[in-house]
């Protein structure tokens, strides 16, 4: 991000996006770099993916996660190093139609 980037607590940012994304990849902090590397690797193979930076985990921008997941066919990959918060929240809230 640039120095002028504005962040809101509880509001996610879409970092990479196309009109034909097959999966939503969520990564925050240090794991965002891994999500972006996955994006680049998959793009080279002809697979479009969307990358989201939730910026904050608590509160998590659940509405954005669910909306972008639906736009990607309900497929979600969470890139986590030790804190399985994103996937757990979606499972606990009964969003079983999403593939986590």
């Amino acid at each position: 991000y640039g120095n002028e980037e504005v962040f809101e607590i509880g509001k996610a940012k879409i970092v990479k996006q196309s009109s034909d994304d097959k999966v939503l990849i969520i990564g925050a902090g240090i794991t965002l770099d891994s999500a972006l590397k996955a994006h680049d690797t998959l793009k080279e193979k002809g697979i479009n993916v969307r990358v989201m930076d939730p910026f904050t985990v608590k509160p998590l921008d659940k509405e954005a996660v669910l909306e972008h997941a639906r736009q990607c066919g309900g497929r979600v990959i969470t890139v986590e190093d030790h804190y399985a918060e994103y996937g757990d929240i979606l499972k606990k809230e009964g969003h079983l139609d999403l593939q986590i």
Side-chain angles (χ1 to χ4, degrees), residues 3-19:
N3 289 337
E4 303 302 316
E5 189 76 30
V6 176
F7 294 93
E8 285 185 63
I9 293 174
K11 294 295 180 189
K13 291 187 178 277
I14 298 300
V15 181
K16 298 283 185 177
Q17 181 176 5
S18 79
S19 61

Side-chain angles (χ1 to χ4, degrees), residues 79-92:
V79 184
E80 304 171 43
D81 57 355
H82 66 280
Y83 192 67
E85 183 73 13
Y86 321 122
D88 286 347
I89 285 174
L90 296 174
K91 287 179 186 177
K92 286 177 188 173

Side-chain angles (χ1 to χ4, degrees), residues 54-81:
F55 178 60
T56 57
V57 176
K58 290 185 179 181
L60 180 65
D61 189 350
K62 297 175 204 170
E63 293 80 18
V65 171
L66 294 173
E67 178 60 30
H68 287 278
R70 285 186 188 101
Q71 291 175 15
C72 295
R75 293 173 293 273
V76 178
I77 296 172
T78 61
V79 184
E80 304 171 43
D81 57 355

Side-chain angles (χ1 to χ4, degrees), residues 8-36:
E8 285 185 63
I9 293 174
K11 294 295 180 189
K13 291 187 178 277
I14 298 300
V15 181
K16 298 283 185 177
Q17 181 176 5
S18 79
S19 61
D20 188 35
D21 293 327
K22 304 299 182 196
V23 65
L24 172 64
I25 301 177
I26 303 172
I30 195 160
T31 64
L32 180 59
D33 183 60
S34 297
L36 291 169

